[in-house]
Amino acid sequence: MRPKAGRARAVPDMLAGPLPLRPGQSVELLKELHILTPEGRLNQDSRRKLKQVHHLIQFIEPLLAELAAEGAALTLADHGAGKSYLGFILYDLCFKALGQGHIYGVETRAELVQKSRLLAQKLGFGRMSFLDLSVADATVADGLPAHIDVVTALHACDTATDDAIAFGLHKNARAMVLVPCCQAEMAACLRRDKALQLARTALAELWRHPLHAREFGGHVTNVLRCLYLQASGYQVTVTELVGWEHSLKNELIIARHTGQKKHGAAQRLRAILSTLGLEEALGARFGLDASGTRQALAAQDAAH
């Protein structure tokens, strides 16, 4: 009997072409982050990852330069930091050149926080701190300052993006840069009352099927987030992070504080929740109490 042929082991596609590095970027840092191999090469997955981070930094860098020109002692909180690719590369490309500012990485996995602390110490990145906290707990944690200039959340899963927004509002953030991911809460709420909504409105056909509920729920969640930010005094831009061939979770929300609260945005937010039958379930998350008044938004008037 002939032995069965074993499945060929997948070998990473190592690329030897020009590295997609920014001027002055530390190759040693990328090796420490395991984006590059010890030989200075990278595979296709690492190339995609580096491209996403670089593209995101293109949006963050002008914000940092603008705030620094205004005399701000820059503070940036990166939520759901993971291995802190974004934080370390931001420090290497931006904060070192600025000569000031502090980055706070917030992550729930203690082992990743400890590794990031050790790497920052090894690299001499003295203006980086890492906290073993959830995004929600970080809002009231003593290890973070009362004011944060920039809030980032790259692929913060499900409601973690909403927690990052709540953190930014609480900390009077000048800017938020968010890439939402896996918005499961909205889809679950839509499915829960599906039969009732199908009897009430033809619009419920938009989420009759589970696949549509997931996709529609994710889209609606991000629309509500944008309206909430606008109602809270932020100018909002929505765009793609990178090409869809690199990531399916690709929506980038950039919010800059202007202080001009759009009350019409709060009204449209409430109308959407009411139309979908979600005002009671999700109103508080987006600044509305159960009766639809702008309780949380009114509280922010005093904060700003």
Side-chain angles (χ1 to χ4, degrees), residues 32-297:
E32 292 285 355
L33 293 173
H34 303 293
I35 292 176
L36 296 182
T37 68
E39 295 77 27
R41 304 175 73 186
L42 76 168
N43 61 28
Q44 192 65 43
D45 183 61
S46 294
R47 185 177 287 268
R48 283 193 297 268
K49 187 179 300 179
L50 190 58
K51 182 175 182 178
Q52 287 186 48
V53 172
H54 280 173
H55 196 68
L56 191 58
I57 288 175
Q58 288 180 6
F59 292 98
I60 299 172
E61 195 170 22
L63 297 173
L64 295 175
E66 181 180 322
L67 292 171
E70 294 175 2
L74 291 173
T75 50
L76 182 146
D78 180 29
H79 285 294
K83 297 179 181 179
S84 291
Y85 294 125
L86 176 59
F88 279 113
I89 295 175
L90 263 175
Y91 194 99
D92 181 46
L93 292 177
C94 303
F95 279 70
K96 283 200 304 186
L98 289 170
Q100 60 107 340
H102 200 104
I103 294 177
Y104 297 87
V106 180
E107 170 59 47
T108 57
R109 289 167 287 184
E111 69 277 10
L112 296 183
V113 170
Q114 183 60 21
K115 287 180 179 179
S116 293
R117 287 171 179 166
L118 293 173
L119 180 56
Q121 184 177 10
K122 178 179 180 179
L123 296 170
F125 288 8
R127 291 177 281 115
M128 293 189 78
S129 300
F130 301 92
L131 300 96
D132 176 11
L133 293 168
S134 68
V135 183
D137 289 340
T139 303
V140 294
D142 293 334
L144 286 149
H147 172 74
I148 294 288
D149 291 300
V150 180
V151 174
T152 61
L154 176 57
H155 294 152
C157 196
D158 198 14
T159 60
T161 298
D162 300 305
D163 292 336
I165 291 172
F167 173 91
L169 295 177
H170 183 80
K171 297 291 186 179
N172 298 325
R174 300 285 299 279
M176 301 188 216
V177 182
L178 313 166
V179 181
C181 184
C182 308
Q183 300 97 322
E185 183 189 45
M186 174 70 76
C189 291
L190 290 170
R191 287 195 300 267
R192 185 185 60 203
D193 298 322
K194 181 172 64 176
L196 176 63
Q197 295 303 323
L198 280 167
R200 189 179 70 87
T201 173
L203 285 176
E205 291 293 342
L206 293 172
W207 64 89
R208 176 194 284 270
H209 302 288
L211 176 62
H212 293 163
R214 186 182 67 203
E215 297 301 319
F216 178 72
H219 179 64
V220 172
T221 301
N222 288 340
V223 169
L224 293 172
R225 286 165 175 162
C226 292
L227 289 170
Y228 185 29
L229 287 163
Q230 289 174 327
S232 302
Y234 287 80
Q235 179 186 13
V236 176
T237 302
V238 181
T239 186
E240 292 179 3
L241 174 60
V242 288
W244 292 101
E245 71 275 13
H246 295 290
S247 175
L248 295 177
K249 302 299 182 180
N250 199 32
E251 190 167 337
L252 172 62
I253 300 172
I254 304 169
R256 300 181 60 168
H257 185 253
T258 63
Q260 298 176 353
K261 300 175 187 294
K262 295 186 176 180
H263 298 296
Q267 294 171 352
R268 289 191 292 273
L269 189 159
R270 182 172 57 194
I272 291 172
L273 287 174
S274 177
T275 300
L276 300 180
L278 298 173
E279 194 170 8
E280 183 175 349
L282 297 178
R285 180 173 296 282
F286 297 104
L288 307 177
D289 66 13
S291 65
T293 60
R294 290 174 308 191
Q295 185 182 48
L297 294 175

Side-chain angles (χ1 to χ4, degrees), residues 1-9:
M1 181 181 293
R2 292 177 61 186
K4 292 182 179 180
R7 178 180 291 180
R9 185 176 179 183

